[in-house]
Amino acid sequence: MAKIRLDKYLADMGLGTRTEVKKFIKKGQITVNDVIIRAPEYKTDTQTDRVCADGQPVSYAGVEYYMLNKPQGVVSATEDKREKTVLDLIVSKKRKDLFPVGRLDKDTEGLLLITNNGELAHQLLSPKKHVDKTYVTKLLHPLAPEDAARLEEGVDIGEPELTLPAKVKLLNTEGTEVQITIWEGKFHQVKRMFWAVGNQVVFLKRISMGSLALDKGLKPGEYRLLTQEEIMRLKEHAGTDKSSDF
Ligand code: URA
């Protein structure tokens, strides 16, 4: 059972700032289980109490998880003065504290997890965890077999250490479409790895991260909530607390 103050409940769900929602409460606009509650500090059960604002139900979401197929041209940030952000695309979000788990470049497409579960994000991004990320790339030049072998051994991208061995699979006979799996997440890593073997990425799309695979039904710019099973498998993969998200 998770009980929180009524003003926090409403503010968490984006009905306004704490000051604004306190005014709604005091004016008698909020009911809990059909009873008008005028006390902002009223302890509300986020799972069982039925809260309404002006008669409209307001259900509570403690933690949200969205899978976004990030389109090109959008930045992986929570807010930006000039650019459209990935958070701007999640129009049905309830929580205000959502953030993208890691970054995809502005010109990269594909799987981006958006949540407010900080512990899960931390585990998925931790360099020590070596969570696998798979990308589909289109390259300027065909990938020579010896360059694929170098990527699979580790290449020098200007960091103190070589990259960890990647897994490379050709997706077309010319060798210009290549799937690559890496277990790290350095800045521009995939592009820098192909640069290191004298090639250039002209299109990049992430198709999986750990146990989470991009839903093929999502077009660029589309998103959906994760299923309970996807959430459990991700938490298992990352070794985070699997208790309830309320
Ligand atoms: N590697 C890159 O170079 N760019 C991305 O967006 C993700 C991985």
Side-chain angles (χ1 to χ4, degrees):
M1 185 153 69
K3 285 197 166 190
I4 58 170
R5 289 172 58 111
L6 183 56
D7 55 354
K8 176 167 164 51
Y9 183 118
L10 297 169
D12 280 355
M13 292 304 93
L15 269 77
T17 61
R18 279 292 261 272
T19 314
E20 284 163 351
V21 300
K22 273 182 189 157
K23 285 188 191 142
F24 303 148
I25 296 169
K26 288 190 175 146
K27 278 194 200 154
Q29 288 173 263
I30 310 299
T31 56
V32 179
N33 304 326
D34 301 323
V35 177
I36 293 176
I37 302 292
R38 291 179 192 272
E41 65 278 10
Y42 179 85
K43 284 283 192 269
T44 315
D45 189 315
T46 55
Q47 290 171 65
T48 58
D49 280 340
R50 205 157 38 78
V51 176
C52 291
D54 291 329
Q56 295 302 313
V58 183
S59 61
Y60 193 82
V63 188
E64 289 187 293
Y65 302 89
Y66 292 96
M67 171 192 296
L68 170 69
N69 184 355
K70 178 192 169 300
Q72 295 182 353
V74 173
V75 295
S76 299
T78 49
E79 51 184 31
D80 192 284
K81 287 206 176 69
R82 279 175 292 274
E83 313 269 12
K84 192 167 192 171
T85 74
V86 289
L87 262 300
D88 293 331
L89 299 174
I90 314 293
V91 288
S92 62
K93 61 184 176 282
K94 290 185 165 185
R95 306 271 332 178
K96 297 177 275 50
D97 51 357
L98 295 173
F99 57 87
V101 177
R103 282 169 188 272
L104 291 177
D105 298 335
K106 188 173 167 187
D107 60 358
T108 300
E109 282 186 22
L111 176 66
L112 197 59
L113 171 64
I114 297 190
T115 183
N116 57 330
N117 184 335
E119 191 200 347
L120 178 65
H122 179 74
Q123 300 290 345
L124 288 171
L125 297 176
S126 162
K128 290 194 203 116
K129 289 273 174 175
H130 298 309
V131 170
D132 53 298
K133 281 144 287 210
T134 298
Y135 297 84
V136 166
T137 65
K138 288 189 184 155
L139 303 174
L140 191 59
H141 311 293
L143 186 69
E146 59 273 23
D147 291 337
R150 284 176 64 201
L151 292 167
E152 293 201 316
E153 276 160 22
V155 287
D156 181 356
I157 58 167
E159 298 282 336
E161 309 271 340
L162 294 185
T163 57
L164 289 175
K167 197 164 149 221
V168 174
K169 184 170 132 194
L170 298 193
L171 298 177
N172 65 356
T173 41
E174 299 93 302
T176 50
E177 289 185 19
V178 173
Q179 182 172 307
I180 182 165
T181 302
I182 58 172
W183 282 264
E184 301 162 287
K186 300 213 169 69
F187 185 60
H188 294 329
Q189 177 147 350
V190 173
K191 290 174 186 166
R192 287 161 72 198
M193 287 175 77
F194 284 100
W195 269 116
V197 296
N199 213 318
Q200 192 182 327
V201 172
V202 293
F203 173 82
L204 185 59
K205 174 178 181 174
R206 181 157 65 191
I207 57 167
S208 72
M209 180 169 73
S211 62
L212 191 64
L214 179 64
D215 185 330
K216 291 195 177 76
L218 293 176
K219 298 195 187 78
E222 292 184 345
Y223 68 91
R224 67 160 170 81
L225 284 167
L226 258 57
T227 64
Q228 280 308 315
E229 188 180 339
E230 285 169 334
I231 296 168
M232 289 305 281
R233 285 178 58 209
L234 254 191
K235 287 181 177 176
E236 251 162 43
H237 202 95
T240 40
D241 182 5
K242 286 190 276 307
S243 58
S244 155
D245 279 329
F246 283 98

